[in-house]
Amino acid sequence: MKIGIIGAGCVGRAIGKLAVRSGHQVMLSNSRGPQTLFSLKYGIGCEAGTVEEAAAFGDITVVAIPLAAYQAVPVAPLAGKVVIDTNNYYPERDGSIPALDTGSTTTSELLARHLPHSRIIKAFNAITMNDLESDGHPGGSSDRRALPIAGDDTAAKAIVLSLYDTFGFDPVDAGPLSEGWRFERGRPAYCVPMNAARLELALAQAVRVDQPV
């Protein structure tokens, strides 16, 4: 596949590196322009472009920028495309977002409202990027780590489930996009190494901030 990545920080770089190793074509981008990605381009073996070029390039697009900047993601070139939301909410970085503070929505649903014609999938947010690069194992390994995913589009979800598997992880489907809160920051499944059975239990045990503990 062609994978466009919006954001060239640690998340974008890690996903880009694994995607290239898996045989995909990758274009990285950031808000400062492709000239700032010159060394990274050769280090990973990817292409570099503007945000708009990366959005147009990809069969799927990864959004890997701070949550506060999600409205800068271009809308038109992503219409009809699979968009992977990797975001987590950090108020100390992103500022307070009342709808997230009260648990009335999720980061991915915010992005989905901004991209109403895209197919949003929540993934790659519940693992550190160091672990993403080091913890993958071949299918069938007894110690294979599992990662969660959420989304409303079955076909789009299948594409991202395949990426997880290709990168060396067992995918666990947490349900529709609205259930993505179950593996966001502060929940039992967030950035804790688990196999599929333990991850399923952790997802079930999650409590939303507006629910009694």
Side-chain angles (χ1 to χ4, degrees):
M1 293 184 295
K2 290 184 175 181
I3 300 176
I5 302 178
I6 298 175
C10 61
V11 177
R13 291 197 305 268
I15 294 174
K17 187 183 299 183
L18 290 175
V20 169
R21 287 179 184 172
S22 300
H24 300 292
Q25 293 178 262
V26 173
M27 179 181 286
L28 275 172
S29 68
N30 64 16
S31 60
R32 295 177 295 155
Q35 71 279 2
T36 66
L37 302 174
F38 182 80
S39 298
L40 196 59
K41 171 181 175 180
Y42 291 100
I44 292 177
C46 65
E47 298 182 45
T50 65
V51 168
E52 290 75 15
E53 286 170 341
F57 171 86
D59 301 311
I60 65 175
T61 302
V62 178
V63 174
I65 57 176
L67 177 62
Y70 79 92
Q71 290 179 315
V73 175
V75 177
L78 295 176
K81 291 190 176 183
V82 178
V83 175
I84 300 175
D85 172 41
T86 69
N87 244 309
N88 290 298
Y89 174 41
Y90 293 92
E92 61 271 30
R93 177 196 67 186
D94 303 312
S96 177
I97 301 176
L100 296 178
D101 294 334
T102 61
S104 61
T105 192
T106 65
T107 63
S108 297
E109 289 173 298
L110 285 178
L111 184 63
R113 290 172 194 166
H114 176 64
L115 301 173
H117 303 296
S118 299
R119 303 150 70 193
I120 311 298
I121 302 295
K122 181 75 168 181
F124 292 106
N125 70 297
I127 184 171
T128 68
M129 293 303 101
N130 284 339
D131 285 356
L132 184 67
E133 291 193 53
S134 65
D135 284 6
H137 288 86
S141 300
S142 59
D143 57 348
R144 205 177 199 217
R145 182 170 173 174
L147 294 178
I149 184 175
D152 298 330
D153 187 300
T154 301
K157 191 182 287 185
I159 292 171
V160 184
L161 289 171
S162 177
L163 269 185
Y164 269 173
D165 183 55
T166 300
F167 289 179
F169 299 89
D170 284 336
V172 172
D173 191 342
L177 198 65
S178 60
E179 293 295 291
W181 64 270
R182 291 187 178 275
F183 50 96
E184 289 183 335
R185 183 187 185 191
R187 303 317 196 284
Y190 183 70
C191 293
V192 178
M194 302 179 186
N195 62 21
R198 287 182 58 206
L199 179 55
E200 288 175 359
L201 180 60
L203 292 170
Q205 291 174 334
V207 175
R208 205 155 189 177
V209 293
D210 57 346
Q211 295 175 333
V213 178

